[in-house]
């Protein structure tokens, strides 16, 4: 995890600085401010995202208009791509022959807000959250927090929050040995005073637009029937029913399940294999682990299990190897 030098001295300094602003905040109160900031503030920034050896640069614009969130996510590297969100409606704007068009069966993009805002319920049972000093990101004063896992089934997290607003400025994920796996960081950021026109996409010849509607979270009984389920998942990872897993199941006859503990998420996919050959595949890119295993289903038919998400390989393997068929 993030090194801490003279922790007690730094902590006194942080608390004193916060008290000068009017009220002392605990680490959990800072996390709550982060969640609210992403949803309610107007901001326009350029950030880099690094996962393993991959590095990309994006711009995000977020404006709340008449109580509805409007968001624009623009890829600044490689193929021209934009994702526009108005409330729960997402429009994807791509260029012809973009490789992402070959991944139509992949999980659709989530909102930028969802990707970096985390739920706080029951977090004390899973992580130790600590104030870890002051920093500076994108020219802005920042509060640093360390989020340390209490078991071996999840990664640690370090975050830097804007001292004035609580907005997330930098996010890092670490493995169990303290090595950094992925990083998100603003290089330039403007908070407040963002014109509404900033969320309107530019027009380009030949672009391909597709629009989808994200539903609000649905209750488990409203989802499609899942035939395969993991017998074991790490403590604190709850099944998150969604229209994404519903859509995949209805379209591709795939059992798709999404689990999250609030700071990390993983998905489990089970589908019939076209032949009897066995497939065993393991890969990690940054914080994302992909594990595939072959298991035998009803009437001796092979099934392909894929676990992909922000969990250690050992954890993903255990999930993939311990599936049960629900009749």
């Amino acid at each position: 995890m993030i090194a801490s030098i003279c922790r007690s001295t730094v902590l006194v300094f942080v608390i004193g600085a916060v008290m000068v602003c009017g009220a002392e905040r605990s680490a959990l109160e800072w996390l709550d401010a982060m969640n609210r900031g992403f949803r309610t503030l107007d901001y326009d920034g350029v950030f880099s995202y690094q996962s393993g050896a991959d590095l990309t640069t994006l711009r995000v614009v977020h404006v709340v208009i008449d109580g509805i969130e409007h968001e624009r996510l623009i890829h600044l590297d490689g193929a021209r791509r934009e994702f526009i969100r108005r409330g729960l409606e997402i429009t994807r704007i791509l260029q012809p022959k973009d490789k992402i068009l070959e991944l139509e069966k992949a999980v659709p993009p989530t909102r930028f807000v969802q990707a970096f805002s985390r739920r706080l319920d029951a977090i004390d049972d899973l992580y130790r959250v600590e104030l870890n000093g002051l920093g500076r990101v994108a020219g802005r004063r920042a509060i640093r927090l360390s989020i340390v896992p209490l078991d071996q089934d999840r990664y640690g997290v370090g975050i830097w929050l804007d001292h004035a607003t609580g907005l997330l400025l930098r996010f890092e994920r670490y493995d169990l040995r303290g090595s950094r796996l992925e990083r998100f960081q603003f290089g330039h950021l403007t908070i407040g005073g963002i014109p509404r026109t900033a969320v309107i996409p530019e027009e380009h010849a030949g672009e391909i637009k597709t629009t989808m509607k994200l539903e609000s979270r649905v209750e488990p009984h409203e989802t499609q029937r899942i035939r395969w389920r993991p017998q074991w998942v790490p403590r604190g990872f709850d099944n998150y029913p969604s229209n994404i897993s519903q859509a995949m199941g209805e379209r591709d006859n795939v059992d798709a399940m999404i689990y999250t503990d609030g700071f990390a998420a993983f998905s489990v996919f089970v589908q019939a294999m076209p032949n009897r050959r066995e497939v065993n595949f393991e890969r990690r890119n940054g914080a994302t682990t992909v594990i595939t295993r072959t298991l035998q289903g009803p009437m001796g038919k092979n099934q392909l299990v894929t676990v992909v998400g922000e969990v250690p390989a050992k954890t993903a393997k255990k999930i993939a190897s311990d599936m049960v068929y629900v009749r």
Side-chain angles (χ1 to χ4, degrees), residues 44-215:
D44 184 347
V46 174
F47 67 92
S48 58
Y49 175 73
Q50 182 175 13
S51 179
D54 298 331
L55 176 66
T56 188
T57 306
L58 304 96
R59 176 188 174 196
V60 61
V61 185
H62 182 270
V63 179
V64 180
I65 303 174
D66 298 328
I68 298 175
E69 292 180 70
H70 290 63
E71 194 171 80
R72 182 183 177 200
L73 187 64
I74 309 142
H75 285 243
L76 301 180
D77 302 328
R80 188 186 302 276
R81 298 170 180 165
E82 289 196 30
F83 298 92
I84 309 298
R85 180 171 68 89
R86 297 176 181 85
L88 295 177
E89 183 180 272
I90 290 182
T91 299
R92 184 178 63 177
I93 305 175
L94 306 173
Q95 298 302 305
K97 299 183 180 180
D98 190 327
K99 291 183 179 179
I100 200 172
L101 291 170
E102 301 172 7
L103 304 176
E104 288 289 343
K105 296 182 180 180
V107 176
T110 59
R111 330 173 201 180
F112 179 80
V113 170
Q114 288 179 328
F116 290 103
S117 58
R118 316 291 178 176
R119 75 180 193 194
L120 305 179
D121 55 313
I123 190 175
D124 285 343
D125 293 334
L126 308 174
Y127 297 91
R128 184 175 70 253
V129 184
E130 304 172 338
L131 289 169
N132 199 23
L134 288 172
R136 189 165 176 265
V137 180
R140 304 183 69 90
R141 191 181 184 195
I143 295 289
R144 298 175 61 185
L145 277 74
S146 292
I147 300 163
V148 184
L150 299 181
D151 58 38
Q152 303 292 302
D153 291 314
R154 64 201 86 230
Y155 294 132
V157 171
I159 62 177
W160 286 250
L161 305 180
D162 182 47
H163 188 275
T165 65
L167 192 67
L168 179 64
L169 302 177
R170 178 173 167 180
F171 175 96
E172 296 185 347
R173 198 183 303 273
Y174 305 90
D175 67 16
L176 301 176
R177 295 171 296 183
S179 299
R180 188 172 64 201
L181 301 175
E182 68 175 350
R183 177 175 65 181
F184 146 86
Q185 179 174 329
F186 276 109
H188 172 77
L189 178 65
T190 300
I191 301 177
I194 309 301
R196 296 186 175 190
T197 54
V199 292
I200 300 175
E202 299 176 4
E203 296 289 336
H204 297 279
E207 62 190 12
I208 300 172
K209 291 185 179 182
T210 55
T211 299
M212 63 173 292
K213 184 72 175 291
L214 293 179
E215 298 175 5

Side-chain angles (χ1 to χ4, degrees), residues 27 32 84 105 116 148 182 214 221 239 260 293 310 312 321:
D32 185 58
I84 309 298
K105 296 182 180 180
F116 290 103
V148 184
E182 68 175 350
L214 293 179
H221 68 272
N239 186 217
T260 180
R293 290 289 185 269
E310 304 151 345
S321 62

Side-chain angles (χ1 to χ4, degrees), residues 226-259:
I226 299 293
R227 296 155 299 177
W228 288 94
R229 296 183 185 275
Q231 294 193 81
W232 177 88
V233 297
R235 182 174 59 91
F237 277 93
D238 297 324
N239 186 217
Y240 189 90
S242 72
N243 62 308
I244 292 175
S245 56
Q246 281 183 293
M248 292 194 68
E250 292 169 359
R251 183 175 55 196
D252 306 309
N253 197 27
V254 176
D255 283 349
M257 295 148 278
I258 301 172
Y259 293 83

Side-chain angles (χ1 to χ4, degrees), residues 24-37:
E24 177 184 339
R25 280 181 176 173
S26 69
L28 290 180
E29 287 171 334
W30 276 109
L31 289 180
D32 185 58
M34 176 189 73
N35 283 341
R36 285 186 283 105

